[in-house]
Amino acid sequence: MFSSLNLQKMKDSHGFITMLCYAVLIILTQNRALADFYSEAHEINSESEEWEMVQRKGMQFTVNGQPFYVNGFNTYWMMILAADNSTRGKVTQVFQQASAVGMTVGRTWAFNDGQWRALQKSPSVYDEEVFKALDFVVSEARKYKIRLILSLVNNWDAYGGKAQYVKWGNASGLNLTSDDDFFTNPTLRNFYQSHVRTVLNRVNTFTNITYKNDPTIFAWELMNEPRCPSDPSGDKLQSWIQEMAVFVKSLDAKHLVEIGLEGFYGPSAPARTRFNPNPYAAQVGTDFIRNNQALGIDFATVHVYPDSWISPAVSKAFLEFTSSWMQAHVEDAEMYLGMPVLFTEFGVSAHDPGFNTSFRDKMLNTVYKMTLNSTRKGGAGAGSLVWQVFPQGAEFMDDGYAVYLTRAHTASKIISLQSKRLAIFNSLCGWRCKWGCKKKNHTALDALLLHDEF
């Protein structure tokens, strides 16, 4: 008599063997319809995959015991546009188009503090219509099988950020003189924790699922690009990270938590500061290795902006920096952190002197190949999220980095190929394959993953 567990094991084994046979067949026949196979494999994997929480096991993400390597995107403004019925359809288009090229994770803001269309109008006072807009974003993501990283506050003034919290503190009678008081003042810490509590305990009005129970949410991000330049030692920011990571986990032990760091090295690893893009990066109060060792942090994040950090003029140095920057962080995630590292923002702006779309394509390829080099070895490089995916008709929100998938044809093909590569890897390489198929099937995977259609 077969138990349901035995039956599932048989299904899993059969699926794995079937996928492997297809892979071997392609390599033997040099099948030029490789892209079709990739697509079919992705569909097979998607159909069998249950919608469960993403988990972390060692240096990899997993879903249902299978690896979950990420090809994703940023679109920060989705809640804001969803709050207006005339622009809500743009959110659906983002998910439709991202899903069409195989992207599986999106990153967006779960904050807008005291600004136009504010989610949080004042401490603990919310606009229900804007909250329903965030509900819509989460429900649409679920519909298109895209998971979300939700960021909870901004370091920068856009959408309120820590500066707005300081304004609220002063309005309540405090005498605060620095935006960095956000990290140390008990009242402001309480304001932030109240916002976290409200978001995590929110019941989605479209799905009736509480956010903290929704597997659509990939992870909580404590802050977008936190910096505390008033304290280059990093102690203030470290204390805030330690407190807030544990606080989030106390409310929601199911979801992953990350900080939102750009990846700058600080005082705890002076030998690594040579990888920073400039000397100032070591003085902004962040410390990649130390910060990510805080209790409650599940994976590391890194951003990649050579045009902002090195020089605005496009050059080959951008690609060289990107490769060394990514490699250094993968090594540190493996050697010191023992956790995945996700490159949660990267891009190049159309406003940069010398920009052209072919250079953007080179940037995409550089990031994707660096990620893939780690993936194929079972390393800590867990994926990347391009900044940022836009639908046509949202040009008024474009910061120069927008990738319009419906008209950037080569970029769309590059993104799609990366998605297909990762889908194949995720399908072929389960625990029985020991995360990277280092011994068995290594040659087959190399041919699949390193095949280049362009």
Side-chain angles (χ1 to χ4, degrees):
M1 183 175 184
F2 290 103
S3 68
S4 60
L5 178 61
N6 287 334
L7 183 59
Q8 185 61 48
K9 286 181 177 178
M10 290 178 65
K11 289 179 179 178
D12 289 347
S13 177
H14 175 73
F16 175 76
I17 293 170
T18 300
M19 296 290 289
L20 184 58
C21 288
Y22 273 123
V24 172
L25 178 62
I26 286 170
I27 292 158
L28 291 175
T29 62
Q30 296 294 302
N31 191 344
R32 293 184 62 83
L34 187 57
D36 292 337
F37 168 73
Y38 280 137
S39 181
E40 291 168 8
H42 178 65
E43 290 171 6
I44 292 169
N45 192 47
S46 297
E47 289 172 3
S48 64
E49 175 190 311
E50 296 179 21
W51 198 238
E52 293 188 3
M53 293 281 185
V54 176
Q55 298 178 324
R56 176 198 134 195
K57 199 169 187 71
M59 294 187 296
Q60 277 79 28
F61 299 123
T62 67
V63 176
N64 293 335
Q66 291 289 111
F68 185 74
Y69 288 97
V70 173
N71 189 24
F73 65 96
N74 289 268
T75 309
Y76 71 88
W77 45 254
M78 288 194 284
M79 178 181 69
I80 304 303
L81 266 62
D84 185 330
N85 286 332
S86 70
T87 53
R88 176 168 286 192
K90 297 302 173 188
V91 173
T92 301
Q93 290 175 24
V94 167
F95 288 124
Q96 286 175 334
Q97 293 170 18
S99 177
V101 293
M103 289 175 151
T104 55
V105 176
R107 178 171 170 264
T108 195
W109 298 167
F111 63 81
N112 186 19
D113 302 310
Q115 309 293 301
W116 174 67
R117 290 187 185 170
L119 173 62
Q120 187 176 200
K121 298 189 289 187
S122 59
S124 300
V125 177
Y126 291 84
D127 186 321
E128 177 62 17
E129 293 308 307
V130 178
F131 232 142
K132 287 179 180 178
L134 183 58
D135 294 343
F136 176 78
V137 171
V138 176
S139 68
E140 286 295 278
R142 184 181 181 89
K143 183 185 300 183
Y144 289 96
K145 293 295 183 184
I146 290 175
R147 300 175 192 268
L148 294 176
I149 296 174
L150 294 182
S151 189
L152 295 166
V153 72
N154 206 356
N155 176 73
W156 311 107
D157 292 353
Y159 295 83
K162 64 184 182 184
Q164 182 61 59
Y165 278 78
V166 170
K167 291 177 184 176
W168 285 336
N170 284 332
S172 70
L174 300 176
N175 184 25
L176 306 173
T177 59
S178 169
D179 289 349
D180 287 350
D181 290 334
F182 171 85
F183 297 113
T184 58
N185 184 270
T187 298
L188 302 192
R189 287 192 181 206
N190 287 337
F191 286 170
Y192 173 80
Q193 289 179 340
S194 178
H195 175 63
V196 170
R197 187 183 296 109
T198 300
V199 173
L200 271 60
N201 288 322
R202 170 78 175 180
V203 178
N204 192 307
T205 55
F206 289 85
T207 65
N208 204 36
I209 302 172
T210 305
Y211 280 34
K212 66 182 180 182
N213 296 326
D214 193 345
T216 308
I217 296 169
F218 179 97
W220 301 112
E221 179 174 281
L222 298 183
M223 186 180 211
N224 174 53
E225 299 185 334
R227 294 186 183 186
C228 187
S230 64
D231 177 27
S233 76
D235 292 342
K236 289 181 181 180
L237 182 57
Q238 183 71 10
S239 174
W240 185 85
I241 292 168
Q242 289 171 336
E243 179 179 342
M244 299 311 167
V246 170
F247 178 75
V248 172
K249 286 291 189 180
S250 74
L251 299 175
D252 178 5
K254 299 174 183 176
H255 282 104
L256 303 175
V257 174
E258 49 98 349
I259 302 167
L261 294 173
E262 296 160 279
F264 301 136
Y265 293 101
S268 77
R272 305 300 278 175
T273 58
R274 64 188 175 91
F275 291 105
N276 282 345
N278 54 60
Y280 176 68
Q283 303 297 315
V284 298
T286 68
D287 197 327
F288 176 74
I289 295 174
R290 181 190 183 196
N291 294 159
N292 283 301
Q293 289 173 332
L295 182 66
I297 300 303
D298 295 297
F299 65 96
T301 65
V302 177
H303 294 179
V304 189
Y305 287 117
D307 57 351
S308 295
W309 299 340
I310 299 175
S311 167
V314 167
S315 72
K316 184 180 178 182
F318 281 23
L319 306 180
E320 294 169 350
F321 166 78
T322 296
S323 296
S324 63
W325 182 244
M326 293 181 68
Q327 183 60 35
H329 287 84
V330 169
E331 290 172 359
D332 292 332
E334 294 171 355
M335 185 175 300
Y336 300 110
L337 301 176
M339 61 172 56
V341 57
L342 204 57
F343 297 91
T344 46
E345 289 188 27
F346 74 94
V348 59
S349 173
H351 300 156
D352 295 338
F355 172 87
N356 55 60
T357 56
S358 65
F359 186 84
R360 182 181 62 194
D361 296 340
K362 289 179 183 178
M363 184 72 170
L364 283 166
N365 272 321
T366 298
V367 171
Y368 287 162
K369 287 180 179 179
M370 288 300 298
T371 303
L372 210 60
N373 284 341
S374 178
T375 300
R376 60 189 285 271
K377 299 172 185 175
S384 59
L385 288 80
V386 65
W387 183 277
Q388 57 181 321
V389 165
F390 266 53
Q392 292 194 77
E395 285 82 357
F396 62 97
M397 300 293 288
D398 189 351
D399 59 356
Y401 290 85
V403 179
Y404 296 89
L405 294 174
T406 56
R407 62 185 192 230
H409 300 299
T410 303
S412 294
K413 289 178 181 178
I414 293 169
I415 291 169
S416 181
L417 178 58
Q418 180 74 354
S419 297
K420 292 165 185 174
R421 285 165 166 163
L422 295 182
I424 284 291
F425 194 94
N426 291 345
S427 298
L428 287 176
C429 298
W431 285 110
R432 62 176 66 87
C433 216
K434 296 185 180 179
W435 292 110
C437 305
K438 296 178 182 177
K439 298 178 182 177
K440 189 177 180 182
N441 311 323
H442 184 78
T443 302
L445 280 171
D446 277 356
L448 285 167
L449 296 175
L450 300 180
H451 179 85
D452 193 349
E453 292 183 337
F454 306 111

